Amino acid sequence: MPEFDLHTLWPMVITGGFVVGFLVGMTGVGAGSLMTPFLITKIGVAPALAVGTDLLFASITKASAAWPHHNFGNVNWRLVGWLALGSVPGSVAMLVVLHLLNPDTAALAHFIKQALVAALVLSSLAILIYPFVVRGHAHVGEPVEIKVRRLPTTLLGLTLGSIVTLTSVGAGAIGVVILTLLYPMLRTRRLIGTDIVHAVPLTLVSGLGHMSIGNTSFELLGLLLVGSIPGIAIGSRLTGILPDWLLRIFLAMILCFAAYQLSLKL
C-alpha cells in the first residue's frame, strides 16, 4: 500500500504535474526525467510505484503528441519498427527479471534510486550536447530513403527498453542524441517525431507490466494528468518566447538538481 496520503498531498501533486507538463510542453523533454524524481523526493512515493505510475503517465502524454507528428510527416515508421523490435522485448525482459528475482523492497528501492541518479545525469548531458550533435543537419538535404542500420537500431531499442522500464528515464533525451549519431542525414524534426512515437509503445508496455505487479496508483496518475494537460498546452504555446539554448541549460540544471535530491536519499 502507498505510504503517501493523497488526501492531503493532492494540491502538490496537481501543481507538480502542471510544472512538469509545462516544461515538457516547452522543451519536449522531461516527462520521465522530472516526474519520477518529483514523486519520490517531494510526494514520498516508493521508487517502484513512482516508476510504474510515471510510465503510464508518459505513455498518455507522448501519445497526445504522436498523432500531430504523424500528420506533419515527422515520423520514420521503419525506424520506429526496428527500435520497438529491441525496446519491447528489452522492457519485457526487465519486467521478467524484476518478477522472478522478487528482490527485497528496500534493496530494489535503493537500486532504482542509484539507476535514476545515473540516468538523470546522462540525460542532462545529452540535452546539453544535442545542439552540437545536430549542428548543420537542418541545412542538409534529407535522402528520399533512409537506410536503416538494423543491428545498432535494435540494440539501441533494447538498451532503452531496459533503462526506461527500470527508471522511466532515457526514452527522450538519450534516445534522440544516439539516433542523431546513427542517422545524421535525418532532419531534426523527424528524429524527434520518431523518438516520441517509439516511446508510446515502450512506455505503455512497461507501464502495463508494472501495473500487473502492482506498481501503479491510478488515483495518483489521475491527479498528475489533471495538472499536466493544461501545463503542456500552455508550455507548448510559450516555446518560442525563450531561446532554445537557455531552455536547455535550464532543463539540464533541473535534472542535475533532481539527481542531487535523489542522491541525498541514498
Side-chain angles (χ1 to χ4, degrees):
M1 293 295 292
E3 297 179 0
F4 54 94
D5 182 9
L6 289 179
H7 295 292
T8 57
L9 293 175
W10 66 266
M12 183 182 293
V13 174
I14 293 177
T15 302
F18 176 84
V19 172
V20 172
F22 179 77
L23 292 172
V24 170
M26 291 191 72
T27 65
V29 178
S33 304
L34 296 175
M35 188 60 75
T36 299
F38 165 74
L39 292 177
I40 295 173
T41 60
K42 301 303 181 185
I43 306 301
V45 181
L49 185 63
V51 169
T53 303
D54 184 43
L55 284 168
L56 286 181
F57 169 80
S59 70
I60 295 171
T61 55
K62 288 181 181 293
S64 66
W67 185 251
H69 275 288
H70 168 70
N71 287 338
F72 288 125
N74 294 342
V75 183
N76 185 307
W77 286 100
R78 292 182 64 213
L79 276 183
V80 170
W82 283 101
L83 284 168
L85 185 64
S87 65
V88 172
S91 173
V92 173
M94 178 60 71
L95 289 166
V96 170
V97 168
L98 292 175
H99 178 70
L100 292 180
L101 292 182
N102 193 24
D104 174 76
T105 303
L108 177 61
H110 184 74
F111 180 71
I112 290 177
K113 288 177 185 177
Q114 288 180 318
L116 263 171
V117 170
L120 287 169
V121 173
L122 285 175
S123 293
S124 65
L125 291 175
I127 288 170
L128 290 176
I129 69 172
Y130 178 72
F132 301 98
V133 174
V134 301
R135 179 174 292 176
H137 290 182
H139 305 291
V140 176
E142 182 179 320
V144 175
E145 186 69 23
I146 298 292
K147 183 178 180 181
V148 178
R149 303 176 63 184
R150 297 180 180 180
L151 182 58
T153 303
T154 304
L155 290 177
L156 170 60
L158 182 67
T159 303
L160 289 176
S162 302
I163 295 175
V164 170
T165 302
L166 182 63
T167 67
S168 79
V169 177
I174 297 175
V176 170
V177 169
I178 299 179
L179 274 178
T180 304
L181 295 174
L182 288 176
Y183 300 98
M185 297 299 290
L186 202 61
R187 290 186 182 276
T188 301
R189 62 182 177 85
R190 286 172 63 81
L191 285 164
I192 294 173
T194 299
D195 182 71
I196 287 175
V197 170
H198 163 249
V200 175
L202 169 55
T203 53
L204 180 60
V205 169
S206 302
L208 291 176
H210 275 277
M211 183 180 69
S212 70
I213 55 179
N215 291 339
T216 305
S217 169
F218 289 104
E219 188 178 4
L220 178 62
L221 175 62
L223 290 173
L224 291 174
L225 289 173
V226 167
S228 67
I229 291 174
I232 291 173
I234 296 173
S236 300
R237 296 178 184 278
L238 297 179
T239 300
I241 294 180
L242 297 175
D244 182 70
W245 64 268
L246 182 60
L247 289 173
R248 290 187 174 276
I249 292 176
F250 177 61
L251 185 55
M253 290 174 62
I254 292 177
L255 294 181
C256 287
F257 179 73
Y260 170 73
Q261 290 283 89
L262 278 170
S263 68
L264 295 179
K265 294 182 175 290
L266 291 177

